Amino acid sequence: MPDYKPQTIEKKWQERWRDSRAFEVAEDPSKQKFYCLEMFAYPSGHAHVGHVRNYMIGDVVARMKRMRGFNVLHPFGWDAFGLPAENAAIKNRTHPETWTLENIAHMKGQLQRLGISYAWEREIATCLPEYYHWNQWVFLKMLERDLAYRRRSTVNWCPSCNTVLANEQVIDGACWRCGTTVTTRELEQWFFRITHYADELLDATDTLTDWPEKVLTMQQNWIGRSEGARVRFALGGPEQLLASGSRLLAESGPTAAEGKTNQQPAANSQQPTIEVFTTRIDTIYGANFLMLSPEHPVVQEWSREAGADEFRRNLQRFQAQDRNARMIGEIEKEGFDTSRTAINPFTGRPVPIWVANFVLIEYGTGAVMGVPGHDQRDFEFAKKYNLPITIVVQPEGEKLTVETMTEAKPGAGKLVESGEYNGLDWEEANHKMTVDAEARGIGEGTVQYRLKDWGISRQRYWGTPIPVVYCESCGMVPVPADDLPVMLPKIAEFSGRGDSPLAQIPEFVNTTCPKCGKPARRETDTMDTFVDSSWYFFRFCDPHNSELPFDPEKVTYWGPVDFYSGGVEHAILHLIYSRFFTRVFRDLGMTTLSEPFTRLLTQGMVLKNGQVMSKSKGNVVDPDDMIQKYGADALRLYVMFVAPPEKEIEWTDAGLEGSWRFLARVWRLVDSLADTIGGEGIPTPAEVELNDAERALRRKTHDTIRRVTLDLDPRVHLNTAISGLMELVNELYAFCNNSDCLRIGQTASDAASVGVVERAATVAVLKESVEALVKMISPFTPHMAEELWEKLGHSSGIVAAGWPAFDEAVAKAEEVVIPVQINGKLRARLTVPADISEEQLRQIALSDPAVVKHLEGKTVRKVVIANGRLVSIVAG
RNA sequence: GCCGGGGUGGCGGAACUGGCAGACGCUCAGGACUUAAAAUCCUGUGGCCUUCGGGCCGUGCGGGUUCGAUUCCCGCCCCCGGCACCA
């Protein structure tokens, strides 16, 4: 008997699958589709076993669905633009393209050696013009619809490297490369108006019933919807302000530029005002001061006034404070008095205006009302600067006094010291005061989001060129769709310094205006690579389309993605951007879908020595090494067996070896029996008379099919599915070992030990069981399963054979073991026929010797029979 | 601080709707085979006690509901992840 030699088998089947285009698919309305997708790969160089775990999970689902008769789309591609390629180019003096394409070639080989059932003819790489053309196309469409716009915005800047950094490249406020403290710069940036869909993206999380709770919560927090009110405080105080103030405030409010949803309504009176955002307008009678962000336009204006030297000094001190430290609240809360006042529109009293370093310009209006009685930050601020504290909400059953208060009291209660609102419950007051504010024209109810518009400009080379030009006479002009793609030019030298690398290529920059034909300059920034990954799942439906990003008909057939798996690190960015893009395509009439991914599985990482695998830690396990030693099938089985897909796993060589041993055990079993059960004319078990052992094996077989089927679909409990298969194998060994003629061989020389089986019934049962086993294991270990299937005398592949069916009646045990509890303790086990009546069961239980013994001297008070599965006796 | 997920043998993990806790695997121990070893096959493997029949304890901790709780409820402790001065 040949030993299990995975390497030869795997090569053979991978070639066959490739040559027969086994996993290539076309739209087929007569078949139900299934779109199975794993997050495509960043071609970083070498895949390690952590990367490939994700692809194996998807492959099991895809292969199983294929066997169940679905038309399965299972594509793969490369998220090929991005910074590492540029850094590698600087370091190794290669071109990012060379580096990227070489990595793709290598990683593709690795994935193919794992035998993943991808439709490789649909492979895409986002760095190719055939793909990024359509990024540009979508950009133009969004520009037409005002979903893309340009404004000045603050970016991270490394003064040492002289370049812009992405947020992800700012580690604890310092440049990831050189460690210099990061500063900020104002630059013109392109934005996608994702906030236009903020409400929809938030509300629709309810429809994502097959997403992990964790991811939905993260997205909800990220969008951060909070309902409240904007209230305007009229400026009072020094008369001279009024003149400059009115001009100021017409354009005030940092959020004016934020985007539509955040747009501030123009002040409806001539009087200059400061607008605040609050979720607790009901506490406004306790608003004893205002606090403005140092970046607030009014503050900026005041600092420019003559004689404001001290004001400027104070302000500069705040502005010099580490921006990142300020953002994460690590520095002390401080403020300074502007010596100006505003009128609280509800109390009519003047309140001082302060500048506070903890007020964020990015959120709300950049101005807040200080309610020290009911907000902890305001409380601390008031204590520090001796500002008055007023209690305006009394909690139920408490009597707060300012004198005894040691901290602010947020939360529920009834209003006091609030004029006409006294006695109202806070929620009622909140509503009423909002309505009143609107009626009086001093404010309005509003919804505030944490979500900001998506800044997509990157001052980088290795990305999609943004397809606009700037003309001296026409201004910003989009590149006409017919002129797309704007090709990314080859670049010779990468220094890693300076602004956008594209700005250094005159042949690229200098162009003519599409409108007037005069000289113009191209936009030299490229798009964030998250743009690439926001719609690639649509491109897979129609990857070679040269007219459109995709044919809507094809997306209608394949979409949405039925099963999507990937790392939880994408829970917010990629997954929210993809949901946004799907809605953009919907509103462009390209699809009727709103949500791209029906079911999401976030797979756990593979750790080694308790740490994430990385080159720098030196704990990377290369799949190729494992394949060489144990074969791809053993590797696949191991990573899926060791823990549920969502959990992290700790890599152990011993575990992999165990999986290999199991596969060798299956191999010996099937190989030993192949001659016996692989012949023609073997009856089905239903056609013959079975003895007890045969019936038991048949029951186990059908029960295993039932369990494994449910574990794979709809649950994706791959680890328990495998343990079910292991149990079946153990049962088959026991069955054979208890039979005189069926000892399973160990080595080639043992082949003779498998005798001729006389009983037709035994052969029938074994055939059914072994064939079901081979079919069910095939999604996990496809190469071995195909080889065994061939050994069993089948010439067409295992997918064509279909997924095994089970008979509920056969799967059911004829005899069951019923535990008997007395006062909650297990006292006996009864073996009874499965169809026993409750009355009979009660009789047998009460007359069982062990039960009788334990009931001695006690009276039975109650006997509970729990859906025929357990007897519980209460006695005392 | 807020939100989410967890805590089960030496280890990874099972346990579906409240019904035999520890499936399956790893590790370890013993047996068979072998000149021997490896491999393989078989058996055992939560703790304590045992007259070998079995008994008691046991799913982070403390309570509760229930005939019965890893599962449900209340109150804690600890770990992991996300967000975080969001007004």
Side-chain angles (χ1 to χ4, degrees), chain A residues 95-145:
Chain A
H95 192 274
E97 186 178 32
T98 316
W99 184 85
T100 303
L101 296 180
E102 278 173 3
N103 286 349
I104 288 176
H106 182 258
M107 289 172 76
K108 187 174 175 180
Q110 287 185 299
L111 297 188
Q112 285 174 329
R113 285 188 287 280
L114 286 162
I116 304 174
S117 63
Y118 287 133
W120 281 110
E121 290 174 17
R122 290 175 184 257
E123 180 182 9
I124 56 178
T126 58
C127 63
L128 302 176
E130 301 85 78
Y131 187 86
Y132 69 69
H133 180 160
W134 305 109
N135 282 344
Q136 296 173 342
W137 184 92
V138 180
F139 178 91
L140 295 180
K141 292 286 181 194
M142 288 169 77
L143 195 58
E144 274 171 32
R145 288 168 183 254

Side-chain angles (χ1 to χ4, degrees), chain A residues 12 25 72 92 177 181 192 264 283 337 385 392 395 397 410 462 502 556 560 572 741 760 772 876:
Chain A
K12 165 181 162 184
V25 281
V72 176
N92 309 329
R177 202 186 293 153
T181 301
F192 283 161
Q264 178 173 318
T283 64
D337 193 348
Y385 296 110
V392 290
W462 195 231
L502 290 180
T556 301
I572 296 174
C741 52

Side-chain angles (χ1 to χ4, degrees), chain A residues 559-798:
Chain A
V561 175
D562 296 281
F563 180 84
Y564 193 39
S565 69
V568 73
E569 66 273 17
H570 296 109
I572 296 174
L573 294 179
H574 163 58
L575 290 169
I576 224 165
Y577 293 152
S578 297
R579 297 180 61 218
F580 164 53
F581 258 66
T582 301
R583 287 170 168 81
V584 171
F585 278 116
R586 180 197 64 194
D587 294 346
L588 289 173
M590 296 285 288
T591 177
T592 53
L593 299 172
S594 293
E595 290 293 342
F597 313 123
T598 304
R599 175 162 190 186
L600 176 70
L601 186 145
T602 53
Q603 110 277 5
M605 287 183 298
V606 180
L607 308 181
K608 177 85 188 280
N609 308 324
Q611 289 186 305
V612 182
M613 286 184 191
S614 79
K615 229 185 257 175
S616 59
K617 292 192 188 94
N619 62 349
V620 171
V621 179
D622 187 329
D624 282 327
D625 295 345
M626 298 301 125
I627 290 171
Q628 213 176 8
K629 219 166 160 185
Y630 301 102
D633 282 337
L635 174 60
R636 294 170 58 112
L637 190 77
Y638 167 63
V639 296
M640 293 184 273
F641 173 64
V642 70
E646 296 85 353
K647 270 199 87 151
E648 350 184 275
I649 59 175
E650 172 69 29
W651 179 271
T652 64
D653 288 350
L656 175 58
E657 209 168 312
S659 291
W660 186 87
R661 269 204 299 271
F662 171 69
L663 290 185
R665 191 167 148 88
V666 173
W667 177 269
R668 284 191 299 275
L669 173 77
V670 181
D671 197 49
S672 299
L673 295 172
D675 290 342
T676 309
I677 63 176
E680 299 281 316
I682 295 168
T684 68
E687 294 164 347
V688 288
E689 191 75 19
L690 304 181
N691 64 25
D692 286 352
E694 288 154 358
R695 229 174 15 250
L697 178 62
R698 182 152 190 251
R699 189 197 76 75
K700 182 71 183 175
T701 303
H702 281 254
D703 188 48
T704 302
I705 298 171
R706 187 183 61 80
R707 273 177 57 190
V708 172
T709 304
L710 292 175
D711 272 350
L712 291 182
D713 191 9
R715 305 160 72 183
V716 185
H717 290 196
L718 308 184
N719 55 328
T720 51
I722 294 168
S723 68
L725 295 174
M726 288 173 166
E727 280 184 51
L728 180 59
V729 170
N730 291 345
E731 192 95 349
L732 276 160
Y733 265 78
F735 180 88
C736 292
N737 285 325
N738 290 334
S739 157
D740 297 337
C741 52
L742 272 174
R743 203 169 71 82
I744 293 162
Q746 294 164 21
T747 63
S749 57
D750 281 344
S753 68
V754 180
V756 178
V757 182
E758 302 280 342
R759 268 185 67 85
T762 297
V763 177
V765 170
L766 277 173
K767 182 183 169 74
E768 181 186 61
S769 187
V770 169
E771 289 197 345
L773 169 70
V774 173
K775 285 176 178 178
M776 286 190 287
I777 208 170
S778 72
F780 299 97
T781 61
H783 314 87
M784 185 187 81
E786 290 276 19
E787 185 71 16
L788 291 176
W789 192 245
E790 198 175 62
K791 270 181 186 293
L792 289 170
H794 304 283
S795 52
S796 55
I798 203 158

